[in-house]
Protein backbone atom coordinates (compact mmCIF):
# COMPACT_ATOMS: atom_id res chain seq x y z
CA UNK A 1 0.00 0.00 0.00
CA UNK A 2 1.25 3.47 -0.82
CA UNK A 3 0.78 5.01 2.61
CA UNK A 4 3.03 7.23 4.72
CA UNK A 5 5.90 4.74 4.25
CA UNK A 6 6.15 5.52 0.53
CA UNK A 7 8.94 8.10 0.97
CA UNK A 8 11.10 5.56 2.81
CA UNK A 9 10.22 2.98 0.13
CA UNK A 10 11.40 5.31 -2.65
CA UNK A 11 14.68 5.92 -0.78
CA UNK A 12 15.15 2.17 -0.29
CA UNK A 13 14.47 1.61 -4.01
CA UNK A 14 17.12 4.17 -5.03
CA UNK A 15 19.61 2.78 -2.52
CA UNK A 16 19.09 -0.81 -3.69
CA UNK A 17 19.10 -0.06 -7.44
CA UNK A 18 22.16 2.19 -7.36
CA UNK A 19 23.92 0.02 -4.78
CA UNK A 20 23.57 -3.10 -6.94
CA UNK A 21 24.99 -1.22 -9.94
CA UNK A 22 27.91 0.29 -8.00
CA UNK A 23 28.82 -2.96 -6.27
CA UNK A 24 28.70 -4.94 -9.51
CA UNK A 25 30.88 -2.37 -11.28
CA UNK A 26 33.49 -1.32 -8.72
CA UNK A 27 32.64 -2.80 -5.32
CA UNK A 28 31.33 0.54 -4.01
CA UNK A 29 28.05 0.96 -2.19
CA UNK A 30 25.11 3.36 -2.09
CA UNK A 31 23.50 4.41 1.16
CA UNK A 32 20.81 6.70 2.48
CA UNK A 33 22.57 9.23 4.68
CA UNK A 34 21.74 12.49 6.47
CA UNK A 35 25.32 13.75 5.99
CA UNK A 36 25.80 14.04 9.74
CA UNK A 37 28.88 12.68 11.48
CA UNK A 38 31.83 11.07 9.74
CA UNK A 39 31.24 9.26 6.49
CA UNK A 40 33.48 6.27 5.86
CA UNK A 41 35.59 6.41 2.70
CA UNK A 42 36.29 2.70 2.67
CA UNK A 43 34.67 1.14 0.82
CA UNK A 44 33.92 3.99 -1.58
CA UNK A 45 30.26 5.00 -1.58
CA UNK A 46 27.61 7.32 -2.94
CA UNK A 47 25.29 8.87 -0.37
CA UNK A 48 21.67 9.72 -1.11
CA UNK A 49 20.45 12.61 1.01
CA UNK A 50 16.74 13.50 0.78
CA UNK A 51 16.75 17.24 1.30
CA UNK A 52 13.44 18.48 -0.18
CA UNK A 53 9.94 17.19 -0.77
CA UNK A 54 7.33 19.03 -2.87
CA UNK A 55 3.80 18.41 -3.97
CA UNK A 56 3.91 17.74 -7.72
CA UNK A 57 1.75 20.50 -9.19
CA UNK A 58 1.30 18.68 -12.50
CA UNK A 59 -0.78 15.99 -10.76
CA UNK A 60 -2.66 18.18 -8.30
CA UNK A 61 -6.15 18.10 -9.86
CA UNK A 62 -6.68 14.39 -10.21
CA UNK A 63 -10.25 13.17 -9.68
CA UNK A 64 -11.39 11.24 -6.64
CA UNK A 65 -11.54 7.45 -7.03
CA UNK A 66 -15.01 5.94 -6.69
CA UNK A 67 -15.60 2.43 -5.40
CA UNK A 68 -18.97 0.71 -5.21
CA UNK A 69 -19.36 -1.15 -1.94
CA UNK A 70 -22.98 -2.25 -1.82
CA UNK A 71 -25.14 -0.49 -0.70
CA UNK A 72 -22.82 2.56 -0.59
CA UNK A 73 -20.46 4.42 -2.84
CA UNK A 74 -16.99 5.09 -1.38
CA UNK A 75 -15.23 8.20 -2.59
CA UNK A 76 -11.47 8.10 -2.01
CA UNK A 77 -9.56 11.37 -1.95
CA UNK A 78 -6.96 11.32 -4.76
CA UNK A 79 -3.39 10.53 -3.70
CA UNK A 80 -0.99 13.38 -2.99
CA UNK A 81 1.61 13.41 -5.75
CA UNK A 82 5.10 14.07 -4.40
CA UNK A 83 8.39 15.07 -5.90
CA UNK A 84 11.47 14.05 -3.87
CA UNK A 85 14.83 15.81 -4.28
CA UNK A 86 18.03 13.97 -3.38
CA UNK A 87 21.63 15.14 -3.18
CA UNK A 88 23.97 12.40 -4.45
CA UNK A 89 27.56 12.65 -3.29
CA UNK A 90 30.48 10.31 -4.05
CA UNK A 91 32.83 9.57 -1.12
CA UNK A 92 36.25 7.98 -1.51
CA UNK A 93 39.84 8.74 -0.61
CA UNK A 94 40.70 10.02 -4.12
CA UNK A 95 39.14 12.77 -6.23
CA UNK A 96 39.62 10.67 -9.35
CA UNK A 97 37.52 7.90 -7.78
CA UNK A 98 34.86 10.47 -6.78
CA UNK A 99 34.63 11.56 -10.41
CA UNK A 100 34.44 7.95 -11.54
CA UNK A 101 31.64 7.19 -9.04
CA UNK A 102 29.73 10.30 -10.05
CA UNK A 103 29.98 9.36 -13.74
CA UNK A 104 28.84 5.81 -13.00
CA UNK A 105 25.92 7.13 -10.93
CA UNK A 106 24.82 9.55 -13.65
CA UNK A 107 25.10 6.83 -16.28
CA UNK A 108 22.98 4.47 -14.17
CA UNK A 109 20.18 7.00 -13.68
CA UNK A 110 20.34 8.01 -17.35
CA UNK A 111 20.01 4.37 -18.41
CA UNK A 112 17.35 3.69 -15.75
CA UNK A 113 15.42 6.95 -15.79
CA UNK A 114 12.23 5.07 -14.94
CA UNK A 115 12.31 2.59 -12.07
CA UNK A 116 9.45 0.09 -12.02
CA UNK A 117 8.66 -3.58 -11.60
CA UNK A 118 10.79 -5.88 -9.43
CA UNK A 119 13.33 -3.18 -8.49
CA UNK A 120 10.71 -1.36 -6.38
CA UNK A 121 11.01 -1.91 -2.64
CA UNK A 122 8.61 -2.00 0.33
CA UNK A 123 5.02 -0.97 -0.34
CA UNK A 124 5.93 -0.03 -3.92
CA UNK A 125 6.74 -3.67 -4.74
CA UNK A 126 4.08 -5.41 -6.76
CA UNK A 127 2.36 -2.16 -7.76
CA UNK A 128 2.10 -0.54 -11.17
CA UNK A 129 4.02 2.50 -9.90
CA UNK A 130 6.86 3.96 -11.95
CA UNK A 131 9.38 6.41 -10.53
CA UNK A 132 10.87 8.91 -12.97
CA UNK A 133 14.39 9.99 -12.01
CA UNK A 134 15.86 13.15 -13.54
CA UNK A 135 18.87 15.33 -12.95
CA UNK A 136 17.99 18.74 -11.48
CA UNK A 137 20.13 21.66 -12.67
CA UNK A 138 20.60 23.33 -9.30
CA UNK A 139 23.08 26.17 -9.35
CA UNK A 140 26.29 25.92 -7.40
CA UNK A 141 24.83 28.45 -4.97
CA UNK A 142 21.74 26.27 -4.35
CA UNK A 143 23.85 23.16 -3.71
CA UNK A 144 26.16 25.20 -1.45
CA UNK A 145 23.14 26.22 0.63
CA UNK A 146 22.30 22.55 1.18
CA UNK A 147 25.87 21.86 2.31
CA UNK A 148 25.77 24.91 4.58
CA UNK A 149 22.49 23.68 6.11
CA UNK A 150 24.06 20.33 7.07
CA UNK A 151 27.18 22.17 8.31
CA UNK A 152 29.61 20.38 6.05
CA UNK A 153 32.19 21.66 3.61
CA UNK A 154 31.04 21.60 0.01
CA UNK A 155 31.72 18.38 -1.92
CA UNK A 156 31.20 17.33 -5.49
CA UNK A 157 27.50 16.43 -5.75
CA UNK A 158 24.46 16.40 -8.01
CA UNK A 159 20.76 16.74 -7.33
CA UNK A 160 18.17 14.26 -8.58
CA UNK A 161 14.40 14.56 -8.64
CA UNK A 162 12.12 11.53 -8.27
CA UNK A 163 8.48 11.86 -9.29
CA UNK A 164 5.55 10.97 -9.18
CA UNK A 165 5.44 9.44 -5.73
CA UNK A 166 1.82 8.83 -4.73
CA UNK A 167 0.98 9.22 -1.06
CA UNK A 168 -2.46 7.67 -0.62
CA UNK A 169 -4.94 9.49 1.60
CA UNK A 170 -6.77 7.69 4.40
CA UNK A 171 -9.80 9.95 3.94
CA UNK A 172 -12.87 8.20 2.49
CA UNK A 173 -16.37 9.67 2.10
CA UNK A 174 -19.46 7.50 1.91
CA UNK A 175 -22.44 8.35 -0.30
CA UNK A 176 -25.61 6.58 -1.29
CA UNK A 177 -25.72 5.70 -4.98
CA UNK A 178 -28.26 7.42 -7.21
CA UNK A 179 -30.96 4.84 -7.91
CA UNK A 180 -33.41 6.96 -9.90
CA UNK A 181 -33.62 10.44 -11.32
CA UNK A 182 -36.43 12.58 -12.59
CA UNK A 183 -36.05 15.32 -15.14
CA UNK A 184 -38.49 18.19 -15.15
CA UNK A 185 -38.68 20.47 -18.08
CA UNK A 186 -40.69 23.48 -19.03
CA UNK A 187 -42.01 24.40 -22.39
CA UNK A 188 -40.92 27.79 -23.68
CA UNK A 189 -43.55 30.48 -23.38
CA UNK A 190 -45.16 31.63 -26.59
CA UNK A 191 -43.56 34.70 -28.06
CA UNK A 192 -46.09 37.59 -28.06
Amino acid sequence: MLDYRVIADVSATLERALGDALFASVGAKAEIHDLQGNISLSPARVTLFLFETFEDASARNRPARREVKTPNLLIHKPPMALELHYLLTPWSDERKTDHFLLGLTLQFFYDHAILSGPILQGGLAGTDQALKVTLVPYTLEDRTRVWHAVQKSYRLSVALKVRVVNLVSTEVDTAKPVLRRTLDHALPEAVA
Side-chain angles (χ1 to χ4, degrees):
M1 170 129 185
L2 303 176
D3 57 12
Y4 62 91
R5 294 174 283 230
V6 73
I7 295 171
D9 294 341
V10 169
S11 295
T13 297
L14 294 176
E15 181 181 45
R16 174 74 183 271
L18 181 59
D20 288 350
L22 290 173
F23 188 78
S25 296
V26 293
K29 64 187 264 185
E31 68 179 345
I32 302 301
H33 206 287
D34 62 2
L35 302 180
Q36 297 301 305
N38 291 332
I39 298 171
S40 175
L41 303 179
S42 180
R45 68 195 65 231
V46 173
T47 56
L48 296 120
F49 171 51
L50 176 63
F51 69 95
E52 281 185 315
T53 303
F54 295 102
E55 185 174 5
D56 188 343
S58 69
R60 183 172 283 161
N61 294 323
R62 292 188 281 181
R65 185 174 56 88
R66 296 174 188 336
E67 176 184 2
V68 177
K69 205 133 200 184
T70 308
N72 295 321
L73 178 66
L74 302 179
I75 302 169
H76 298 269
K77 187 175 183 176
M80 178 185 212
L82 299 175
E83 200 175 277
L84 307 178
H85 290 228
Y86 290 86
L87 189 70
L88 276 74
T89 309
W91 300 84
S92 71
D93 52 7
E94 292 183 5
R95 285 289 168 219
K96 190 174 186 178
T97 304
D98 288 349
H99 293 190
F100 179 77
L101 289 173
L102 184 62
L104 190 57
T105 299
L106 290 173
Q107 182 182 40
F108 174 79
F109 283 119
Y110 184 69
D111 290 345
H112 301 91
I114 296 178
L115 300 174
S116 61
I119 195 70
L120 300 177
Q121 302 292 305
L124 293 168
T127 67
D128 63 351
Q129 292 293 300
L131 304 174
K132 184 176 181 185
V133 183
T134 54
L135 190 62
V136 180
Y138 279 124
T139 64
L140 179 60
E141 183 179 345
D142 290 338
R143 284 194 311 271
T144 302
R145 285 183 183 148
V146 174
W147 284 102
H148 180 72
V150 295
Q151 299 177 351
K152 290 262 190 208
S153 298
Y154 178 83
R155 285 190 63 100
L156 175 66
S157 56
V158 295
L160 289 180
K161 169 175 67 174
V162 180
R163 64 178 293 270
V164 167
V165 178
N166 290 312
L167 178 64
V168 175
S169 174
T170 58
E171 190 173 303
V172 179
D173 289 329
T174 304
K176 296 284 184 195
V178 175
L179 300 175
R180 186 177 64 199
R181 68 180 183 176
T182 303
L183 298 175
D184 289 330
H185 62 281
L187 295 175
E189 292 184 27
V191 178

